[in-house]
């Protein structure tokens, strides 16, 4: 019996799940929020019950100490060494860290050298890793990259048509994100269909606050909608997705803002929030649209149209697909959004079954028996992928 912790460190948060492997059983999970602020909030779920503690947690090292001390106090573990490995979700491995690795000083140096590629995420990821190394120095730390699954894309898919030295000298290319989720979901599809993974073609729609579509051919990512950063692709909760890049300079002049400020607007004030003017949360938009709010309805339609653009293009690029899958917050919980997308794909022979589609958060086939493509809802499980990789590297 091996206990593995899967960790996701953000700038002011630390999310964790403790799993028993290889059974893949979740022992406990939790979250420290507002790290570095007053009244940090520590939530831990034990036996289905949520315990909450409010106290000042100054930094990530204190957060890690708080978590492991609590695990001992609650007798979930007897001592630190009982955690045999910690797997860290790391947003970006670039073309140098192309699969999960045991973290040594060398990997930390590499991550520090590529911090420019994703400063908002990589800096907190590194802080989380260092905090665990400090508090649990004898426990192996593993990095699992959001980008790794997409390293199988061909040059024609990952190169931008910009001066080639942008790629060679500055690493400008499509990386893709949500890799562990796309991999988990596409592997599950092959299992459900009872087909070898190498013969299964799946289009995964990971629709959460951040959202991306992925073409998985024979278990390998051959294209995905997010790019150099998670801003590219379909419109999301607050992100614009693709726009004409010329808009950036145009709006810099109109609003007298810097490029950084405009990019910040594209990241934080666009997507659902920007179009609707109401909220970045799909639940708010669905209920506002039901009450007749035109812009809320339009925000949903704008996203659905672009999702369908990707699905159709990937269908052709893969030479057909066995399945389209919905996952993550919206994908798992918004039947109306799923139906709106699939109803735009009748030309591919995709047909949704309204009764089957009336479900939330469960694994289910939601297409009709005569649909030419199977459509599934499959709840994602990024933590289990992190724990699997960590386990295999121990
Ligand atoms: P995630 O980033 O995967 O946690 O997904 C967050 C998104 O999922 C938000 O837009 C939520 O509104 C959406 N979501 C979660 N639960 C529901 C629900 N029951 N109905 C519609 N959307 C939901």
């Amino acid at each position: 019996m091996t206990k593995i912790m899967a960790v996701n460190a953000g700038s002011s948060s630390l999310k964790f799940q403790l799993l028993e492997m290889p059974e893949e059983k979740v022992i406990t999970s939790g979250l420290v929020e507002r790290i570095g602020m007053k009244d940090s909030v520590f939530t831990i779920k034990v036996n289905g019950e949520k315990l909450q503690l409010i106290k000042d947690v100054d930094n990530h090292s204190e957060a890690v100490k708080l978590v492991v001390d609590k695990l001992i106090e609650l007798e979930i573990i007897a001592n630190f060494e009982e955690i045999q490995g910690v797997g860290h979700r790391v947003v970006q491995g670039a073309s140098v860290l192309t699969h999960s690795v045991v973290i040594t000083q060398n990997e930390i140096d590499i991550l520090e050298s590529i911090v420019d590629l994703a400063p908002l995420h990589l800096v907190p990821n590194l802080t989380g890793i260092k905090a665990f190394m400090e508090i649990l120095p004898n426990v192996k730390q593993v990095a699992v990259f959001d980008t790794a699954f997409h390293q199988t894309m061909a040059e024609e898919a990952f190169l931008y048509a910009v001066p080639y030295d942008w790629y060679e000298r500055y690493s400008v290319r499509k990386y893709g994100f949500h890799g562990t989720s796309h991999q988990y979901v596409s592997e599950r599809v092959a299992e459900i269909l009872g087909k070898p993974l190498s013969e299964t073609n799946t289009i995964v729609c990971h629709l959460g606050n951040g959202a991306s579509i992925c073409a998985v051919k024979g278990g390998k990512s051959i294209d995905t909608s997010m790019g150099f950063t998670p801003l590219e692709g379909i419109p999301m909760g607050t992100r614009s997705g693709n726009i004409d890049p010329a808009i950036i300079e145009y709006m810099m002049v109109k609003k007298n803002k810097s490029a950084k400020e405009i990019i910040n607007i594209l990241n934080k004030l666009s997507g659902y929030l920007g179009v609707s003017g109401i909220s970045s949360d799909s639940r708010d938009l669905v209920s506002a649209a039901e009450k007749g709010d035109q812009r809320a309805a339009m925000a949903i339609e704008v996203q659905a149209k672009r999702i369908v653009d990707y699905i159709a293009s990937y269908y052709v690029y893969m030479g057909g697909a066995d399945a389209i899958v919905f996952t993550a917050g919206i994908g798992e919980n918004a039947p109306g959004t799923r139906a709106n997308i699939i109803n735009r794909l009748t030309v591919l022979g995709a047909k949704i079954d309204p009764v089957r589609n009336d479900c939330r958060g469960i694994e289910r086939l939601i297409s009709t028996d005569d649909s030419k493509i199977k459509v599934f809802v499959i709840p994602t499980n990024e933590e289990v992928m992190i724990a699997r990789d960590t386990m295999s590297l121990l």
Side-chain angles (χ1 to χ4, degrees):
M1 191 170 80
T2 308
K3 290 194 174 88
I4 303 280
M5 189 175 270
V7 171
N8 191 349
S11 55
S12 62
S13 68
L14 184 86
K15 215 168 141 187
F16 67 92
Q17 205 174 82
L18 186 69
L19 294 107
E20 201 167 284
M21 300 296 283
E23 294 81 2
E24 303 188 343
K25 190 177 147 232
V26 178
I27 304 167
T28 180
S29 63
L31 172 72
V32 187
E33 292 168 286
R34 296 176 53 86
I35 298 172
M37 295 172 229
K38 275 215 89 51
D39 298 333
S40 315
V41 185
F42 174 34
T43 315
I44 182 165
K45 225 180 181 176
V46 193
N47 303 327
E49 235 181 274
K50 262 191 191 167
L51 305 177
Q52 205 165 63
L53 184 73
I54 314 255
K55 67 176 273 190
D56 296 356
V57 180
D58 288 341
N59 53 51
H60 283 71
S61 299
E62 277 187 23
V64 174
K65 182 99 180 28
L66 182 68
V67 170
V68 284
D69 282 347
K70 196 67 172 174
L71 294 179
I72 292 173
E73 187 194 314
L74 294 169
E75 296 177 359
I76 294 168
I77 54 169
N79 53 53
F80 288 5
E81 278 66 39
E82 226 178 279
I83 301 172
Q84 277 114 327
V86 179
H88 298 264
R89 179 179 179 186
V90 178
V91 71
Q92 172 63 280
S95 308
V96 268
L97 295 171
T98 55
H99 45 76
S100 302
V101 284
V102 173
I103 307 168
T104 65
Q105 189 56 42
N106 180 46
E107 282 66 39
I108 291 192
D109 292 345
I110 296 174
L111 287 172
E112 278 173 346
S113 75
I114 59 168
V115 136
D116 266 4
L117 292 176
L120 290 183
H121 293 97
L122 265 182
V123 172
N125 290 163
L126 270 161
T127 309
I129 291 169
K130 287 178 186 167
F132 271 92
M133 287 176 121
E134 183 194 330
I135 307 295
L136 306 176
N138 302 319
V139 177
K140 272 215 171 93
Q141 310 289 325
V142 168
V144 179
F145 301 97
D146 262 31
T147 47
F149 183 59
H150 304 297
Q151 283 294 312
T152 43
M153 286 188 290
E155 277 187 330
E156 63 173 24
F158 75 68
L159 278 182
Y160 293 112
V162 292
Y164 196 69
D165 84 311
W166 290 18
Y167 167 55
E168 282 186 313
R169 294 186 58 193
Y170 305 109
S171 309
V172 171
R173 51 158 287 179
K174 175 183 278 196
Y175 291 104
F177 297 88
H178 293 139
T180 47
S181 175
H182 290 303
Q183 185 179 4
Y184 174 82
V185 165
S186 51
E187 288 180 9
R188 244 338 263 144
V189 169
E191 280 170 22
I192 297 169
L193 294 178
K195 268 181 91 167
L197 185 59
S198 60
E199 291 168 22
T200 308
N201 292 353
T202 304
I203 297 170
V204 183
C205 304
H206 177 112
L207 308 179
N209 230 333
S212 69
I213 316 292
C214 186
V216 189
K217 187 175 172 73
K220 297 197 165 85
S221 167
I222 60 164
D223 204 355
T224 188
S225 58
M226 281 181 170
F228 178 64
T229 72
L231 181 55
E232 191 181 343
I234 58 172
M236 312 172 208
T238 61
R239 290 176 227 161
S240 62
N242 296 344
I243 62 163
D244 180 342
I247 295 170
I248 295 172
E249 196 215 351
Y250 178 79
M251 288 311 296
M252 283 168 68
V253 174
K254 291 285 174 203
K255 292 271 194 188
N256 192 25
K257 286 190 187 295
S258 66
K260 201 180 169 131
E261 287 170 320
I262 297 292
I263 296 289
N264 193 44
I265 294 174
L266 297 178
N267 266 310
K268 304 260 173 73
L269 297 174
S270 301
Y272 276 170
L273 176 62
V275 177
S276 71
I278 293 177
S279 168
S280 63
D281 192 300
S282 120
R283 282 166 288 205
D284 296 340
L285 293 204
V286 169
S287 81
E290 279 167 5
K291 289 182 195 124
D293 189 293
Q294 291 302 311
R295 271 173 56 192
M298 193 45 62
I300 296 171
E301 298 304 323
V302 166
Q303 187 197 46
K305 194 268 177 205
R306 281 151 182 86
I307 291 171
V308 168
D309 290 347
Y310 273 102
I311 295 175
S313 130
Y314 290 167
Y315 183 86
V316 174
Y317 192 44
M318 287 203 292
D322 300 286
I324 296 168
V325 188
F326 291 99
T327 193
I330 300 168
E332 292 165 26
N333 293 299
T337 304
R338 296 192 295 250
N340 188 14
I341 293 164
I342 297 303
N343 289 340
R344 291 166 182 256
L345 291 164
T346 48
V347 70
L348 302 183
K351 271 196 227 163
I352 200 140
D353 181 317
V355 177
R356 290 175 182 171
N357 185 38
D358 188 14
C359 64
R360 290 185 163 87
I362 54 165
E363 191 173 285
R364 187 187 265 187
L365 175 79
I366 56 166
S367 48
T368 58
D369 289 338
D370 64 344
S371 175
K372 288 216 182 96
I373 310 174
K374 293 209 169 2
V375 184
F376 292 100
V377 176
I378 299 182
T380 194
N381 196 339
E382 291 166 292
E383 290 79 11
V384 95
M385 295 303 279
I386 294 172
R388 281 181 196 168
D389 276 15
T390 305
M391 180 76 185
S392 75
L393 284 167
L394 285 186

